[in-house]
Amino acid sequence: MTSTSPQLTGVRLLDALDASGLTGRGGAAFPSAVKLRAMTKRHTAVIVNACDGELGAVKDGWVVANHLDELLHGADLVRGLARGAVTFAAHRGSGTERRLRSAGVDVLDAPSRYVSSEESSLISLSQGGLARPMTKRSLYIQGGRDSTGRRIAPTIVLNAETVWRIAQIAERGPEWFRRFGTASEPGPRLASVGGYVGRPVVVETQAGVPVGELLAAARTPADAEYVLVNGLGGAFASIAGVSSAAWSREGLAPFGGRLGPGIIDVVDPRRCPLDMVTELLAYAAGESAGQCGPCMFGVPELSGLWQQYVRTPSARHRRALDINLGLLPGRGGCKFPDGVAGLAVNALAVFADHITEHAAGRCRYAARRTA
Amino acid sequence: MNEILWYTSRATGIVSIVLLTYVVVAGVIISGRRRPHGASPTILMALHRWIALGMSVFLLLHITTAIAETYVNINWISFVVPFTSGYAPFQVGLGTLAFDLMIAVLVTSYLRHRIPERRWKGVHWLAYGLWPIAVIHGFTLGTSNEWVLRLITLACGVVGLLAIAWRINARHHDRRRRDVILEQEWS
Amino acid sequence: MSSGVRAEGSVPLQVDRMACTGHGVCAQILPRNIALDAHGYPIVLDDRVDREEGDTAIRMCPARALYWKGS
């Protein structure tokens, strides 16, 4: 691929990223130019996050597998701005880790824990600490201290797809980037579509396409009923309802969803979705980093209260569940309890009818299982 | 005059060891116990801080009168340099050592919000060292006809040890859960 | 405001959730602003706190888990 125009670097690159409207592709969607500009003149270490940490995420590994050269070039461009060492983060034992090591780059292998791929977890791990989130009292991009007062060197963490897009924008310009997507969510995007599908796939797409188009790209069977958008920190939606909706902030908002890390998991229609939620919450209960009370007690408690409610959907059990859910958001050391609580609240709404069925002692999925 | 200095140094010494034991026990309870509701954590914390301050006053008086009185030979350098006293250098030196450690604890606590938390914590743990040293200093320097003072010092030692033993065994829910999760794979 | 003086309650009081081990001193000193959940951890009802009371709570927290936002 030869470029006909000179490569953008340094300040001109930042301006181009501003103009392009590129936002982080890891899920938080923070404006990338603003993030890069937040670095100070000191050496800032760079971590390219290719962990695919959210459940059902595969797009970052896909970038490493299919666009490694451009990704490495993007990392180089970021290094030019950061003036620190670049490290690529992947989960230990993953194919992504293997590929990165074969490429000869510096690899940070994170343990396969749910919160270990969070930005501050990776920063902590990269500086000899544990792969658990650090307090948000400091902005680690300019360096700060964790809760014990340990000094943390300035580090910027960027999602792998984001870094790939930076290379693309440097090559093709911000106008090219804006040709895709919507005005508020511009640019090409990757979506990981998997689960109960004909073929799990990473779709090269953009904000604004109908969700149904993404489901079709993965050859989703006609008997599929629900999707889980964005994993453990996401939301369920009925395919009937969301299929015609735009895959964008505005399109997904009525369903409690968002673009986020771009994951669509089609739920197996032969299983009771409440069982799936039970499994997800039980998994979450075991993934607390154990650093703050509301999470290390509240999330396991949520898992127990959910199971209790699904087994016996009484008003009393529902009240206990609601109280627990009200005390999770905004009270943790990181956003993990927020995501899990959001998923449970969403599930209670989306599967309300089915919960009523359970209350009457029936479950239509039990019949499907034996069929 | 010298007799007044002598008795003052003994009296302030015993008050110091009692107050120090109180401070240590309060500290042990604060760090070892959790109660979700009630006023006791605040009261304990306030007492821990204020009694420490009060004890410092008695302690300074104890040291200056002990050095100033001429019945036994302790020079001013022994205020801060341990084992330099003419009289009972080892026992007096223990007191000096305890005092040195206490200065570190008090200064870091005063500056707690200006230093890294782990520094404060590391120095504060020296309290578990300085308290027994102070008790031994007090007990071994007691004379046979001051058995009341020795008894009080002994009682302080027992109470403190019981508190520390409780602290080692008592695990409150926050610490326990953190430790359990810390055993998992995080690096 | 160009001067260094802050109006009462204009900087929110925050909890470092990782440092917090549930002593409950904050809820005792700031009963209108902080309550405790069933496990003893703070629920911030209103983060706009009187400057003096907030400074006291920050000083008295055994875990050094309270701070003014931005500090």
Side-chain angles (χ1 to χ4, degrees), chain A residues 135-195:
Chain A
T135 180
K136 296 304 172 280
R137 197 168 164 173
S138 291
L139 255 187
Y140 300 107
I141 202 170
Q142 295 181 349
R145 292 182 185 271
D146 67 8
S147 296
T148 69
R150 175 171 63 119
R151 200 169 260 297
I152 303 294
T155 311
I156 185 171
V157 180
L158 294 164
N159 175 259
E161 187 193 342
T162 310
V163 174
W164 177 41
R165 299 301 178 193
I166 290 175
Q168 289 186 314
I169 292 167
E171 166 95 22
R172 307 175 210 197
E175 299 78 19
W176 162 82
F177 190 77
R178 282 224 171 244
R179 257 184 256 145
F180 304 87
T182 63
S184 57
E185 295 175 308
R189 278 176 190 272
L190 298 178
S192 313
V193 190

Side-chain angles (χ1 to χ4, degrees), chain A residues 56 58 192-201 215 218-221 224 226-228 263-270 276:
Chain A
V58 291
S192 313
V193 190
Y196 186 76
V197 294
R199 55 160 199 165
V201 71
L215 296 175
R219 302 197 197 122
T220 304
Y226 294 102
V227 289
L228 173 58
I263 304 165
I264 298 178
D265 177 68
V266 181
V267 177
D268 188 338
R270 298 161 299 185
M276 183 180 179

Side-chain angles (χ1 to χ4, degrees), chain A residues 254-331:
Chain A
F255 302 92
R258 58 193 189 104
L259 282 180
I263 304 165
I264 298 178
D265 177 68
V266 181
V267 177
D268 188 338
R270 298 161 299 185
R271 296 191 57 204
C272 176
L274 298 181
D275 286 344
M276 183 180 179
V277 177
T278 299
E279 272 180 24
L280 286 168
L281 295 180
Y283 168 73
E287 287 302 304
S288 169
Q291 301 192 98
C292 71
C295 170
M296 64 188 180
F297 291 106
V299 175
E301 189 180 82
L302 167 61
S303 175
L305 290 175
W306 170 271
Q307 289 179 39
Q308 182 182 75
Y309 181 61
V310 164
R311 216 174 17 243
T312 314
S314 68
R316 188 169 60 89
H317 288 166
R318 176 59 187 258
R319 213 183 108 69
L321 189 52
D322 286 341
I323 290 173
N324 169 284
L325 288 171
L327 289 175
L328 285 175
R331 293 183 66 235

Side-chain angles (χ1 to χ4, degrees), chain B residues 30 34-39 41-42 45-46 49 112-117 173-174 178, chain C residues 17-18 20-23 25 28-29 36 38-41 58-64:
Chain B
I30 289 169
R34 293 294 175 272
R35 271 183 48 187
H37 305 282
T42 313
M45 191 60 185
R49 293 162 62 96
R112 183 179 187 181
H113 284 77
R114 276 180 265 219
I115 62 177
E117 178 68 0
H173 62 290
D174 179 279
R178 285 177 191 256
Chain C
R17 295 287 178 175
M18 285 154 184
C20 172
T21 52
H23 285 91
V25 173
Q28 176 64 29
I29 294 177
L36 297 177
H39 301 282
Y41 299 99
I58 289 173
R59 213 171 33 244
M60 294 290 279
C61 171
R64 192 179 171 180

Side-chain angles (χ1 to χ4, degrees), chain A residues 224-251:
Chain A
E225 289 183 337
Y226 294 102
V227 289
L228 173 58
V229 179
N230 297 326
L232 189 52
F236 290 92
S238 73
I239 291 181
V242 81
S243 217
S244 52
W247 188 62
S248 68
R249 185 190 314 126
E250 301 84 14

Side-chain angles (χ1 to χ4, degrees), chain B residues 2-82:
Chain B
N2 198 61
E3 229 176 82
I4 296 172
L5 287 177
W6 169 258
Y7 282 118
T8 307
S9 93
R10 311 299 275 180
T12 50
I14 206 72
V15 171
S16 297
I17 198 68
V18 169
L19 294 182
L20 177 64
T21 304
Y22 189 99
V23 170
V24 168
V25 170
V28 160
I29 296 175
I30 289 169
S31 60
R33 185 178 75 146
R34 293 294 175 272
R35 271 183 48 187
H37 305 282
S40 56
T42 313
I43 293 172
L44 267 175
M45 191 60 185
L47 285 173
H48 179 75
R49 293 162 62 96
W50 284 100
I51 305 272
L53 213 58
M55 173 211 62
S56 310
V57 173
F58 281 98
L59 187 58
L60 284 172
L61 212 54
H62 165 70
I63 300 172
T64 39
T65 51
I67 292 174
E69 66 83 37
T70 52
Y71 187 59
V72 295
N73 176 27
I74 306 172
N75 44 19
W76 289 99
I77 199 175
S78 299
F79 216 126
V80 286
V81 183

